[in-house]
Amino acid sequence: MRIVKLTEESRKNLLEELLKRSPNQYGEYEAKVNEIIQAVRERKDEALLEYTGQFDEWQPSVDTLRVTQEEIEEAYTHLEPAFIEVMKKSAENIRHFHEKQMQNSWFDARPDGTILGMKILPIEKAGVYVPGGKAAYPSSVLMNVLPAKVAGVKRIIMTTPAGAGGKVNPGTLVAADLAGVQEIYKVGGAQAIAAMAFGTQTIPKVDKITGPGNIFVALAKKACFGYVSIDSIAGPSEILVIADETANPRYIAADLLSQAEHDELASAILVTDSEELAEQVAGQVEQLVQELSRKEIMQKSLDNYGYILLVKDMEEAVETANAIASEHLEILTRDPFQIMTKIQYAGAIFLGEYSSEPLGDYFAGPNHVLPTNGTARFFSPLNVDDFRKKTSIIAYSKEALEEVHQDIELFAEKEGLTAHAKSIAVRFE
């Protein structure tokens, strides 16, 4: 990994390089994505079947698009019982964490007859996209479905591409069953997003779409936003580690590579004030890359977006972390909690040497669907509120309105909206 002494110029260059990884930079794919979306809007199932046959390794029919109960039961036979038990434990941790986020409707009644409040209800239908093809992520099934279930969503639609012969990854199916999904369709790519956004004869239109995917999925979610709600337009994975001289260089190297192995655009950054640690981590990274299975992907990721940034002190390290606003932030310092209090922007923060990033990916309970590409400055992790709709409640008595009607009329008149003012005034003529 390259070691860079941080300056204003190098920080600016780094931020510009990282932003190039955003899906917003891949405009050359938008025309194809829009073509797919329009075809699905117009021709519905017919277009779904065509694109699935074109892009995937099987020829579907309307009757084979939906996963059957027999396929789910068969999936269990392909997994080790120990793995199924681990998924059950993970699901329980995720469910328990998200139950803490629940808010109920509330009302504030005052003596003058005013009632103000918030009515909070789950959305009716949620759509979850789960990647397939080269890799499958049962953990993403749990992370996307369980917050919706906790929120009280009545109907969850899941789409995922099938492989050869129309077979869906067994881990994906078992995770979906454990999470309580009852409708799973063998559709992937932009066409799956379009189907959930606009509806077809087979796949219903949903209210919100969540879940990760490739560039076509990300751009389709972007194009459909407004017709349907989405979680975010996710970019490549990223990790930033803040460490001082007390940190274990081998732990840091392993944690950096845990994200570099995702894909060639993943970003892995160490920020430290210890030149000795920087050199040790660089050596450990070089050694570990050779030991791991996805070394070509990791090496490209590190060559393009891997950095060890040398800063003068921890204050500058915190400034840098806040500027980057990383998806995952690990703090491996003498007092990680003290550093954590100064962090304003990060998707998830991992404190101490036994809280490595994969703990959050798989098991701890907080959601691993996190903002990327600096969007942690204004986006939050996927949570229960993403699947609940809030409606304001306003009720005034005649006496309460009488006290303030002239104030409201004045406000409306100053904005030139005389009908607004009249709507209040007629009640006191």
Side-chain angles (χ1 to χ4, degrees):
M1 289 181 74
R2 79 201 89 174
I3 299 175
V4 178
K5 189 168 184 179
L6 196 67
T7 63
E8 279 302 317
E9 184 178 0
S10 62
R11 180 188 294 179
K12 180 174 179 290
N13 291 340
L14 171 61
L15 292 174
E16 289 176 355
E17 281 296 309
L18 293 177
L19 285 175
K20 290 178 183 177
R21 301 156 56 249
S22 168
N24 292 318
Q25 302 297 319
Y26 291 85
E28 68 266 28
Y29 299 107
E30 287 184 347
K32 182 61 178 176
V33 167
N34 290 334
E35 175 190 315
I36 293 171
I37 292 171
Q38 192 59 34
V40 173
R41 288 188 72 176
E42 293 175 357
R43 296 190 291 115
K44 302 186 182 300
D45 278 353
E46 181 186 358
L48 273 189
L49 297 175
E50 283 181 15
Y51 285 120
T52 301
Q54 179 182 339
F55 297 133
D56 296 339
E57 301 175 51
W58 69 300
Q59 292 294 327
S61 67
V62 170
D63 294 332
T64 57
L65 276 181
R66 183 166 175 173
V67 172
T68 65
Q69 184 60 36
E70 289 73 24
E71 288 175 290
I72 293 171
E73 291 171 5
E74 182 190 349
Y76 276 91
T77 68
H78 291 288
L79 298 186
E80 297 175 21
F83 180 36
I84 296 172
E85 287 304 310
V86 167
M87 280 200 280
K88 288 179 180 178
K89 291 178 185 177
S90 176
E92 184 55 35
N93 290 342
I94 296 165
R95 185 180 289 108
H96 181 71
F97 179 84
H98 288 83
E99 284 171 348
K100 301 286 187 182
Q101 300 171 351
M102 282 287 285
Q103 289 181 300
N104 295 317
S105 300
W106 58 269
F107 298 92
D108 179 19
R110 300 174 184 171
D112 64 1
T114 301
I115 299 175
L116 301 176
M118 191 72 72
K119 185 177 182 180
I120 306 175
L121 294 172
I123 63 175
E124 184 180 346
K125 292 192 288 287
V128 174
Y129 184 87
V130 179
K134 295 180 181 177
Y137 301 103
S139 60
S140 285
V141 177
L142 301 178
M143 291 289 183
N144 281 274
V145 172
L146 289 170
K149 296 293 284 188
V150 169
V153 177
K154 292 178 182 175
R155 193 173 177 188
I156 298 173
I157 311 300
M158 190 176 110
T159 62
T160 186
K167 295 290 186 180
V168 177
N169 179 274
T172 297
L173 290 183
V174 171
D177 189 55
L178 293 175
V181 181
Q182 295 183 330
E183 291 182 64
I184 307 169
Y185 297 93
K186 304 172 188 177
V187 182
Q191 59 272 24
I193 301 302
M196 290 191 285
F198 299 104
T200 73
Q201 295 94 332
T202 301
I203 299 177
K205 172 179 168 52
V206 302
D207 301 308
K208 181 159 194 162
I209 299 173
T210 69
N214 62 18
I215 188 64
F216 290 95
V217 171
L219 290 176
K221 287 169 71 176
K222 179 183 177 184
C224 293
F225 177 64
Y227 297 99
V228 66
S229 178
I230 64 172
D231 49 354
S232 64
I233 304 167
S237 191
E238 56 201 26
I239 185 171
L240 187 146
V241 179
I242 296 177
D244 60 18
E245 76 283 357
T246 66
N248 184 313
R250 189 166 177 82
Y251 293 176
I252 296 171
D255 294 352
L256 293 172
L257 293 177
S258 74
Q259 295 310 290
E261 77 170 342
H262 271 294
D263 83 52
E264 291 88 343
L265 294 175
S267 168
I269 299 171
L270 167 64
V271 182
T272 182
D273 58 356
S274 168
E275 192 167 346
E276 181 181 359
L277 180 71
E279 296 286 354
Q280 291 173 337
V281 170
Q284 287 290 334
V285 166
E286 188 174 340
Q287 178 183 327
L288 282 173
V289 164
Q290 301 307 314
E291 300 175 11
L292 299 168
S293 60
R294 295 165 67 90
K295 58 185 175 185
E296 288 185 12
I297 291 174
M298 287 187 284
Q299 195 58 60
K300 286 181 181 177
S301 167
L302 296 173
D303 290 345
N304 292 325
Y305 302 106
Y307 295 90
I308 297 176
L309 303 178
L310 274 173
V311 294
K312 64 178 183 292
D313 53 32
M314 280 295 115
E315 185 175 332
E316 189 175 37
V318 168
E319 288 175 7
T320 303
N322 282 328
I324 293 173
S326 184
E327 177 188 16
H328 306 103
L329 172 63
E330 288 189 6
I331 304 177
L332 303 176
T333 60
R334 186 177 287 102
D335 187 355
F337 284 89
Q338 192 266 339
I339 298 292
M340 181 269 292
T341 62
K342 299 178 181 179
I343 297 296
Q344 292 177 282
Y345 309 116
I349 301 174
F350 301 79
L351 302 174
E353 62 182 10
Y354 295 104
S355 305
S356 61
E357 188 278 336
L359 177 65
D361 271 354
Y362 296 113
F363 202 76
N367 211 286
H368 79 193
V369 181
L370 302 168
T372 57
N373 277 106
T375 60
R377 296 183 68 85
F378 44 83
F379 281 140
S380 303
L382 189 69
N383 61 83
V384 165
D385 278 350
D386 285 305
F387 298 97
R388 287 169 76 79
K389 172 72 178 66
K390 300 178 181 179
T391 303
S392 298
I393 303 296
I394 301 166
Y396 268 51
S397 66
K398 179 180 179 182
E399 293 73 24
L401 185 61
E402 191 168 19
E403 283 189 27
V404 297
H405 78 94
Q406 292 179 336
D407 294 339
I408 303 166
E409 291 162 27
L410 177 61
F411 215 137
E413 288 164 359
K414 291 301 180 184
E415 290 193 348
L417 299 176
T418 55
H420 278 63
K422 193 66 173 175
S423 172
I424 299 292
V426 293
R427 287 160 168 77
F428 300 99
E429 291 173 351

